[in-house]
């Protein structure tokens, strides 16, 4: 049941891996939700209680109907940078609070210090928001646990060896559901204005160890084999921007031989421990099996 008199929260990136769960979390808390989607047919994938608006970050004026009367916005930037200033200007004109899904580009760990066009864009948006005086909260997920679905699931489903570069690189994968829970909490609870939260999982694991954890969830051994950076470049050609490939390779190379950066932010905000990668793998085991 929605809380009487509570203004709705607008969720951008509403059908994405974080935004979709933010919607469920807000609804569970009794907060009315609006969703911004680029395609009207996306409404069919959202709960009936959600008020769906069609709009596009590349056409800032299309946001106005969705922004009218909202109390807060969950901003996930999924567009080129050209309209960022105009979008932030519109947010500042309509709402009091923005929670921005950014990246840990300020984090003092080599893994997060590699040249990264997306992080540079995030930093620009943060500067734009600060200049407007918006009441903002920045959440900065580290490596998402769900990346392993794109990276390793095809080989695992096929029963093949997982071949990957820099298997000894350590990260602390964060569960998408924990990121969404933190976002929802900071959207509807007071006390988070000006918050800047780096979100990580609780444990530093090498990439090879993460594959082993997935194997444990599937109750079978998954072989891991080191791939050279050049092989990874060839494998990624046509499927990912070259700048993103080089950023990942540099980040993994920098992370070899030292523990991943971890924080207590998820526990501090949610009052419970973050999900481990082992929990994530057990919950998502069907996605790594044939026919999924």
């Amino acid at each position: 049941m929605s809380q009487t008199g509570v203004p709705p929260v607008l969720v951008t990136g509403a059908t994405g891996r974080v935004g979709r769960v933010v919607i469920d979390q807000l609804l569970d808390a009794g907060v009315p939700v609006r969703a911004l989607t680029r395609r009207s047919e996306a409404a069919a994938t959202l709960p009936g209680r959600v008020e769906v608006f069609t709009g596009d970050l590349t056409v800032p004026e299309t946001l106005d109907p969705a922004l009218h009367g909202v109390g807060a916005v969950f901003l996930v930037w999924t567009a080129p940078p050209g309209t960022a200033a105009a979008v932030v200007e519109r947010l500042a004109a309509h709402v009091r609070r923005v929670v921005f899904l950014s990246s840990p580009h300020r984090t003092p760990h080599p893994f997060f210090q590699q040249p990264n066009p997306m992080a540079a864009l995030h930093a620009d948006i943060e500067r734009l928001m600060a200049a407007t005086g918006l009441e903002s909260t920045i959440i900065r997920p580290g490596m998402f646990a769900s990346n392993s679905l794109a990276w390793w699931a095809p080989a695992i489903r096929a029963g093949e060896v997982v071949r990957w570069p820099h298997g000894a690189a350590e990260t602390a994968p964060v569960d998408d559901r924990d990121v969404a829970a933190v976002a929802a909490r900071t959207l509807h609870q007071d006390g988070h204005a000006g918050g800047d939260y780096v979100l990580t999982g609780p444990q530093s694991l090498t990439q090879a160890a993460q594959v082993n954890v997935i194997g444990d969830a599937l109750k079978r051994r998954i072989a891991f084999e080191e791939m050279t950076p050049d092989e990874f470049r060839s494998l990624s050609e046509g499927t990912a921007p070259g700048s993103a490939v080089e950023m990942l390779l540099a980040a993994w190379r920098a992370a070899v031989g030292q523990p991943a950066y971890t924080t207590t932010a998820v526990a501090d905000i949610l009052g419970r421990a973050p999900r481990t990668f082992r929990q994530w793998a057990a919950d998502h085991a069907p996605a790594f099996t044939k026919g999924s």
Side-chain angles (χ1 to χ4, degrees), residues 112-195:
F112 298 115
Q113 295 302 312
Q114 311 311 311
N116 183 343
M118 182 57 70
L121 172 58
H122 288 160
D124 286 341
I125 293 172
E126 290 171 32
R127 284 191 286 270
L128 289 167
M129 290 195 302
T132 67
L134 269 167
E135 183 182 293
S136 63
T137 304
I138 312 297
I139 58 175
R140 307 181 186 278
M143 188 64 76
F144 281 99
S146 60
N147 286 342
S148 59
L149 291 170
W151 293 344
W152 306 323
I156 293 171
R157 283 195 292 262
E160 299 171 354
V161 172
V162 171
R163 301 187 70 249
W164 206 249
H166 299 300
E170 297 193 36
T171 62
V174 61
D175 194 306
D176 306 46
R177 296 168 295 183
D178 286 342
V179 176
V182 167
R185 189 71 60 89
T186 58
L187 280 161
H188 74 83
Q189 278 193 351
D190 292 332
H192 297 286

Side-chain angles (χ1 to χ4, degrees), residues 38-117:
R38 284 180 293 175
R39 294 176 296 275
S40 57
E41 58 268 25
T45 68
L46 298 171
R49 290 180 288 163
V50 175
E51 190 178 8
V52 181
F53 288 79
T54 303
D56 194 319
L57 295 173
T58 65
V59 189
E61 60 269 21
T62 64
L63 276 60
D64 290 347
L67 288 169
H68 182 70
V70 301
V73 172
F74 179 53
L75 179 61
V76 181
W77 194 267
T78 55
T83 56
V87 168
V88 170
E89 184 179 327
R90 276 183 149 75
L91 295 179
H94 285 88
V95 302
R96 178 174 60 90
R97 176 183 299 184
V98 173
V99 174
F100 179 43
L101 185 68
S102 187
S103 48
H105 54 83
R106 297 178 176 177
T107 302
H109 188 284
F111 182 79
F112 298 115
Q113 295 302 312
Q114 311 311 311
N116 183 343

Side-chain angles (χ1 to χ4, degrees), residues 184-236:
R185 189 71 60 89
T186 58
L187 280 161
H188 74 83
Q189 278 193 351
D190 292 332
H192 297 286
D196 192 316
Y197 305 122
V198 177
L199 309 181
T200 72
Q203 185 180 14
S204 178
L205 293 167
T206 67
Q207 298 196 96
Q210 291 169 40
V211 172
N212 286 338
V213 168
I214 295 168
D216 290 345
L218 299 175
K219 296 181 171 54
R220 64 182 176 89
R221 181 180 178 276
I222 300 170
F224 184 95
E225 185 177 291
E226 190 77 15
M227 174 189 285
T228 70
D230 282 342
E231 287 176 311
F232 184 71
R233 291 183 182 100
S234 297
L235 178 70
S236 305

